[in-house]
Amino acid sequence: MLREHRGDGHIAALVGARIGGTEAHVLSALEQGIHPPESFGRIHHLPKERLTAVMDGMRERGLIDIDGHFTDAGRATRQRIETLTDELATPPYDALSPAEIDELITNLEPITATLVATGSR
């Protein structure tokens, strides 16, 4: 539930920044160092015309440069989205006591270890 709550906040932050779904994947690809971002596994299968239109729109908005790399404005937009996502995810944790937070962490550690062992980030 906490993950879903965070995801909902992330979508709200993206919408507030006027970032669409494909654009969000482009920003994510660039954040991960994937270049060209169109090669990112979540969008590489989309029609070339669609990817071109998305990239052109992001260039027009000053989020990426002519070569498809982050601009300062693009990097700042990505950071604002992540910061707002973190802020929106906080309230459920504020409702937990210190003991409940410790219990949550203890219960999640084996899941985290399994995910990390399989290469998840």
Side-chain angles (χ1 to χ4, degrees):
M1 286 175 43
L2 291 170
R3 184 177 185 276
E4 291 300 317
H5 176 78
R6 182 180 179 78
D8 291 346
H10 190 62
I11 297 299
L14 288 165
V15 169
R18 297 182 10 239
I19 300 294
T22 305
E23 292 172 325
H25 288 308
V26 169
L27 294 178
S28 181
L30 291 172
E31 185 68 25
Q32 295 177 55
I34 297 170
H35 195 269
E38 301 95 324
S39 68
F40 186 39
R42 294 182 179 169
I43 61 172
H44 76 279
H45 64 283
L46 295 175
K48 183 175 173 58
E49 299 80 23
R50 169 75 179 135
L51 291 173
T52 298
V54 167
M55 298 297 286
D56 287 347
M58 293 180 78
R59 282 186 191 93
E60 289 170 14
R61 291 174 56 198
L63 300 173
I64 59 173
D65 65 19
I66 193 71
D67 296 320
H69 293 281
F70 268 131
T71 60
D72 289 341
R75 197 171 284 105
T77 297
R78 170 87 176 157
Q79 186 56 53
R80 279 193 308 277
I81 291 166
E82 294 306 317
T83 298
L84 181 55
T85 298
D86 290 345
E87 291 170 5
L88 293 171
T90 301
Y93 297 94
D94 291 341
L96 298 175
S97 70
E100 289 170 324
I101 289 182
D102 288 344
E103 180 182 358
L104 177 64
I105 291 169
T106 298
N107 289 333
L108 291 176
E109 283 175 338
I111 296 168
T112 301
T114 299
L115 290 170
V116 170
T118 62
S120 183
R121 288 193 222 173

